[in-house]
Amino acid sequence: MLAALGLFALPAGAQPDYPARPVKLVVSLPPGSGADSTARFIAQKLAAKLGQPFVVENRPGGNGFIGARAVADAAPDGYTLFVGSNSTMVTNAVLFTNPPYDPVNGFAPVERLARFAMVVVVPANSPYKALGGLIGALRTAPGKLNYAAGSPTYQIYTELLNERFHVRANPIAYKGTAPAMTDVAAGHVDYAIGEISAVLPLIRAGRVRPLAVTAPQRLKDLPQVPTVAESGAPGFDVAAWTGVFAPSKVPGQIVNVLSAAVREAMQQPDSVKFITGLGGEVYLGGPQHFRQFQLAEIERTRDIVKRAAIQIE
């Protein structure tokens, strides 16, 4: 039936037996992370669609270098794939002059998976009830308040927020979103931007207060929370995203087979429900559009880093 519809018809010259054995999906974050949960979900879908196991392998550490390099250096046969994110495929391309892998030329984009809006939060007992209050305090005392940065990507996005409102604050770096949000909840830092799936449990538990969301529209999980754009920064739109990549020299026919399978799987109602349950949205586009998107994100990030004078290593 699927073949008749053309959903999985192989392009001319494609290997008809792909995949003929299990496929590895490498994730550069530990089990339990949003990227890991998404990878395990799509692995099950791809196994059902393509008839071979898709096995998730977690290789965390080193700013994502370990997992990304393992895939970039893997045989280009379609049996080792990478579930990358803006941290590994955009931020590392900008903040490191010589990363141990090439985030652009070392990979072939397969398909985006999902994007997750972020939320500006403060401690639950903070005096700031709205983003305008926080911005006012930052303007009154330039450089006196601090924010938690769970990763370099979060620092970049917070600096973009600060730039749009012409304010300054001190970044406090953390090794992950979870410890950053823990310190926000404890009142050790004044504010932070966190990905929706990481902050929503803390919001619901009354441990942090949401001031604004970074998406273009309000979120169904936080309908009373305005967007940053509504709060005085028109057009503000940043999000965390995940997508599937292959080593750069994987045959285009295999990329096409994988891309079609991912697209079909992610458009199914249970897939949409799964991603929205994490606070995100399915975010597709195809290999060529994915590459254009990645390059545009790199340029935007490079501009932010330059204007904010963030250190490049």
Side-chain angles (χ1 to χ4, degrees):
M1 179 66 177
L2 290 176
L5 292 173
L7 291 174
F8 292 100
L10 295 179
Q15 292 85 338
D17 60 344
Y18 176 82
R21 63 179 191 272
V23 178
K24 184 190 305 180
L25 278 174
V26 175
V27 180
S28 61
L29 293 171
S33 63
D36 175 76
S37 299
T38 304
R40 293 181 185 279
F41 182 85
I42 193 61
Q44 294 178 352
K45 287 287 188 179
L46 291 176
K49 294 295 178 186
L50 297 178
Q52 288 289 342
F54 278 69
V55 182
V56 174
E57 179 179 299
N58 298 92
R59 303 196 67 172
N63 293 303
F65 289 172
I66 296 172
R69 183 175 182 178
V71 178
D73 291 345
D77 54 11
Y79 290 96
T80 303
L81 307 174
F82 185 51
V83 178
S85 67
N86 36 344
S87 290
T88 50
M89 308 310 286
V90 172
T91 301
N92 286 354
V94 175
L95 289 187
F96 297 93
T97 53
N98 291 298
Y101 67 97
D102 187 331
V104 176
N105 297 319
F107 295 86
V110 173
E111 183 59 79
R112 293 184 308 197
L113 294 173
R115 60 176 267 156
F116 300 89
M118 300 182 185
V119 187
V120 183
V121 296
V122 295
N125 61 357
S126 170
Y128 314 122
K129 309 297 184 183
L131 184 58
L134 173 62
I135 297 303
L138 289 165
R139 285 177 177 157
T140 301
K144 297 298 183 182
L145 275 65
N146 53 46
Y147 68 85
S151 73
T153 299
Y154 288 111
Q155 181 182 357
I156 289 168
Y157 288 160
T158 308
E159 288 295 343
L160 177 61
L161 176 77
N162 294 345
E163 178 190 66
R164 291 296 305 273
F165 286 100
H166 309 288
V167 297
R168 290 189 295 110
N170 300 312
I172 308 297
Y174 289 82
K175 293 183 178 180
T177 304
M181 290 302 130
T182 296
D183 266 15
V184 174
H188 298 318
V189 288
D190 297 299
Y191 70 108
I193 288 180
E195 188 258 304
I196 178 67
S197 66
V199 302
L200 198 55
L202 294 173
I203 293 171
R204 288 172 172 166
R207 298 181 61 196
V208 300
R209 177 186 301 138
L211 301 186
V213 299
T214 67
Q217 297 88 28
R218 296 192 184 196
L219 306 181
K220 71 175 186 62
D221 291 308
L222 299 170
Q224 303 306 314
V225 179
T227 66
V228 173
E230 289 178 274
S231 304
F236 192 92
D237 179 15
V238 297
W241 55 262
T242 58
V244 179
F245 294 82
S248 61
K249 295 183 180 179
V250 165
Q253 299 95 329
I254 290 179
V255 170
N256 291 338
V257 169
L258 287 167
S259 180
V262 171
R263 283 197 307 276
E264 202 278 336
M266 292 302 293
Q267 292 179 81
Q268 294 178 354
D270 62 327
S271 301
V272 174
K273 182 178 180 180
F274 173 79
I275 296 299
T276 56
L278 295 176
E281 62 177 326
V282 173
Y283 195 47
L284 305 171
Q288 183 175 357
H289 187 275
F290 194 3
R291 173 64 85 206
Q292 293 170 349
F293 169 78
Q294 181 192 14
L295 294 175
E297 286 282 280
I298 288 172
E299 287 306 308
R300 179 170 76 151
T301 301
R302 185 172 286 120
D303 288 343
I304 298 168
V305 167
K306 183 177 180 179
R307 293 195 301 267
I310 298 173
Q311 184 178 357
I312 297 176
E313 299 182 23

